[in-house]
Amino acid sequence: MLSVEQAARDIETMQVRGAGRLARHAVRALRDLAQAHDGSDARLRRQLERAAARLLATRPTAVSLRNGIEEALAPLGRNGDAPLRAEVLTAADAFLARSIEAVGVISDLGAGLLGKSGNVLTHCNSACSTGVIARAHQRYGVRAFVSETRPRHQGRLTARQLRGQGVPVTYLVDSAVNMVMGDIDWVVVGADSIARNGDVVNKVGTSMVALSAREHRVPFYVAAETYKVDRRARTGKDVRIEERDPREVVEARDLPRIHVMNPVFDMTPARFVRRIVTENGAARPADVARLLGPGPVRRRRR
Ligand code: RI2
């Protein structure tokens, strides 16, 4: 059984990371809490609300976390007749299943729409974008250029995962991206949050990759599940950017009396993005909200 506190710590320390994975981890903890419950609905409601608050406080930028939790706990706001526990288990299972399925759908769709042979570049480690690249490689054969992704080097994960799937990989430091961009045919990255206007918030450095791609007229794509769209964010400026411990960048003793910044994400304007590929299809960034289903129902439970 995954306790809420354990899940929250796993996410805070980035033992579990990646916008999709961390949402599923939080939802699994809520599911396990409901599963183990044998008291009243009122008591379960209080426990779930407390648990949701704890999980939501772990990482502020990835809206996948909030959307996953809200989807799993939607029964708290409904007037259903079934016991709350059963409804939460059903909702949590539905989110977990659709979230995993979406990655496969995006990989296929993305490989068909974006993929062609040649060189593809990606930044950080995203299940959706590595899925697209691996699938494109199976179909057309590609070489992947993977940027290091300072400070936590998620590019190493991507390089290993792609190599493990047979993709030839070139690994480079973030600051070499612009140097190789002239040889790149397409770029694909994931997303942590997408605003309604199509601005994309992803791992810090993504906007520089996008700028470089734009300068070189290389198409820049985003692969992300619909639950990474933040309905409450009109533009990317409405998304809070997480700041992490500066020691992830450099130990204080190595740079005494120096202020060190460690913003984890940045915002790529919608106009830099050719298409956003979701499990419901691909859209121009400005049209991304059209790919979403109806919003969460907000009636209070009796
Ligand atoms: P998937 C990651 O954030 C990266 O920014 C990545 O692009 C994004 O989540 C989406 O990943 P972090 O947790 O959901 O490494 O596509 O800070 O796997």
Side-chain angles (χ1 to χ4, degrees):
M1 175 176 153
L2 177 62
S3 76
V4 168
E5 191 50 34
Q6 183 60 52
R9 287 201 194 126
D10 293 342
I11 295 169
E12 274 164 353
T13 57
M14 293 182 69
Q15 293 300 308
V16 173
R17 51 145 298 281
R21 280 186 73 219
L22 62 87
R24 285 192 292 275
H25 204 57
V27 168
R28 276 191 198 106
L30 294 172
R31 190 199 181 284
D32 284 0
L33 194 163
Q35 176 92 59
H37 183 79
D38 63 357
S40 68
D41 274 11
R43 187 149 167 264
L44 178 58
R45 165 190 293 278
R46 282 195 301 277
Q47 287 182 351
L48 287 170
E49 283 172 347
R50 242 195 335 265
R54 171 72 182 100
L55 291 163
L56 278 170
T58 53
R59 294 196 70 191
T61 300
V63 75
S64 51
L65 183 64
R66 190 177 79 212
N67 284 342
I69 290 173
E70 285 188 355
E71 194 170 319
L73 298 189
L76 267 60
R78 282 193 213 125
N79 293 313
D81 292 325
L84 183 59
R85 175 178 176 277
E87 290 206 347
V88 169
L89 290 179
T90 305
D93 284 341
F95 174 78
L96 294 171
R98 97 170 170 95
S99 149
I100 289 166
E101 197 187 328
V103 177
V105 174
I106 290 168
S107 304
D108 271 337
L109 193 65
L113 287 172
L114 329 175
K116 40 188 183 282
S117 58
N119 296 330
V120 52
L121 186 138
T122 191
H123 182 62
C124 199
N125 177 253
S126 144
C128 291
S129 47
T130 52
V132 170
I133 295 169
R135 214 57 66 89
H137 179 66
Q138 286 164 10
R139 290 192 195 169
Y140 320 99
V142 296
R143 168 169 286 277
F145 286 72
V146 176
S147 45
E148 182 178 39
T149 318
R150 280 278 293 149
R152 296 189 69 112
H153 306 104
Q154 286 98 326
R156 293 179 190 175
L157 296 171
T158 304
R160 286 187 204 112
Q161 287 166 3
L162 287 174
R163 194 66 209 107
Q165 299 195 66
V167 183
V169 174
T170 298
Y171 184 75
L172 62 160
V173 295
D174 300 331
S175 38
V177 163
N178 191 53
M179 205 195 90
V180 300
M181 192 59 86
D183 296 323
I184 299 297
D185 296 291
W186 46 290
V187 175
V188 62
V189 297
D192 294 81
S193 279
I194 302 172
R196 291 201 310 275
N197 73 339
D199 288 346
V200 174
V201 175
N202 191 49
K203 180 60 39 173
V204 69
T206 301
S207 65
M208 290 207 312
V209 176
L211 259 173
S212 172
R214 186 179 163 93
E215 177 66 18
H216 289 85
R217 296 191 164 71
V218 174
F220 181 94
Y221 298 103
V222 171
E225 305 88 331
T226 49
Y227 68 89
K228 307 224 176 109
V229 176
D230 185 346
R231 293 172 192 268
R232 297 181 209 171
R234 196 178 63 78
T235 76
K237 289 185 183 149
D238 297 325
V239 176
R240 187 175 144 209
I241 301 291
E242 176 181 2
E243 279 267 352
R244 293 184 64 86
D245 191 329
R247 285 174 297 184
E248 290 183 345
V249 178
V250 62
E251 284 297 335
R253 65 172 176 274
D254 292 331
L255 278 185
R257 302 184 307 284
I258 307 271
H259 170 238
V260 176
M261 284 176 73
N262 188 17
V264 183
F265 303 101
D266 66 17
M267 191 265 280
T268 298
R271 67 180 186 281
F272 290 9
V273 179
R274 174 77 61 94
R275 287 284 185 282
I276 298 176
V277 185
T278 77
E279 74 279 18
N280 292 344
R284 289 195 177 84
D287 296 329
V288 71
R290 292 196 196 150
L291 298 176
L292 308 181
V297 183
R298 298 213 161 273
R299 271 175 293 132
R300 288 299 287 175
R301 205 179 161 90
R302 281 192 297 263

